[in-house]
Amino acid sequence: MKIRKIGIDVGGVIMTSHNKSEDTSFFGANYLQSEAEEGAFEGIKTLIDYYGAENVFIISKCGTNTQKKTIEWFTYQDFYGKTGFREENIYFCKRRHEKAPICERLGITDFVDDRLEVLSFMNSVDNVYAFNPQLEEMNQFSEACGHYTVVWNWEELLNVMGF
């Protein structure tokens, strides 16, 4: 049996991109108050409990400042304690297409991202999940993506993955 290795994006998958106010926007002064996607921490804990912490990764596209803020947010939210996630399993890159070679190098078998543009590069990944994708992107990148599964929340993602 092939070991499954899971790759997960941050913005729009772990951290919500639909903040209720500018006060809690990740790009505002109170970024530590940004909300997690409903069920994200519990979902990641489920994946880690089943596949092992060594087989669950975060792969995120962002600049240096956002990388720093993301790590601070994870610490502030007790992400590591609540999920069992290993901080050394976080990978950052500067451009969306750069996620694909990281996934290939790590042997990622399942990748979750809210951007279909990212998924369109995932040729080495067996299972790709479009997490609550935007309609415009679905129209623009659906053919380029090939096979992908749309999921609208963490409960549906886990269900599709067999949990």
Side-chain angles (χ1 to χ4, degrees):
M1 181 173 93
K2 185 176 182 180
I3 294 173
R4 289 175 81 172
K5 291 188 173 190
I6 315 302
I8 306 165
D9 179 39
V10 176
V13 179
I14 296 173
M15 185 186 305
T16 187
S17 58
H18 312 290
N19 288 298
K20 294 180 177 86
S21 74
E22 287 193 27
D23 288 345
T24 59
S25 168
F26 189 70
F27 298 103
N30 297 321
Y31 64 93
L32 293 175
Q33 305 301 320
S34 294
E35 297 175 10
E37 280 287 337
E38 185 176 335
F41 286 22
E42 298 84 356
I44 291 167
K45 181 174 181 358
T46 296
L47 294 172
I48 287 170
D49 287 349
Y50 191 81
Y51 295 114
E54 69 278 8
N55 293 313
V56 180
F57 300 86
I58 287 172
I59 303 166
S60 181
K61 185 233 36 122
C62 59
T64 306
N65 186 47
T66 302
Q67 289 179 26
K68 179 179 165 289
K69 288 169 61 173
T70 299
I71 297 298
E72 289 175 7
W73 185 82
F74 282 145
T75 302
Y76 181 80
Q77 297 287 333
D78 192 27
F79 175 75
Y80 309 110
K82 291 175 180 175
T83 64
F85 189 87
R86 294 179 176 178
E87 189 171 352
E88 64 267 21
N89 283 9
I90 299 175
Y91 292 81
F92 292 109
C93 57
K94 302 279 189 207
R95 299 200 165 131
R96 290 187 179 116
H97 73 273
E98 295 173 342
K99 290 183 178 186
I102 294 170
C103 286
E104 189 168 6
R105 187 174 72 246
L106 294 172
I108 298 296
T109 60
D110 298 74
F111 191 75
V112 185
D113 206 297
D114 63 322
R115 304 298 297 248
L116 267 73
E117 179 184 359
V118 170
L119 299 181
S120 73
F121 300 112
M122 295 292 166
N123 299 321
S124 71
V125 178
D126 296 334
N127 305 296
V128 292
Y129 306 96
F131 190 95
N132 196 19
Q134 297 175 1
L135 182 59
E136 307 83 55
E137 269 214 331
M138 288 179 74
N139 292 332
Q140 185 178 0
F141 291 102
S142 63
E143 285 186 37
C145 279
H147 175 71
Y148 63 94
T149 303
V150 174
V151 294
W152 299 105
N153 54 50
W154 272 91
E155 182 180 1
E156 188 174 352
L157 173 64
L158 292 175
N159 189 351
V160 167
M161 293 181 81
F163 292 93

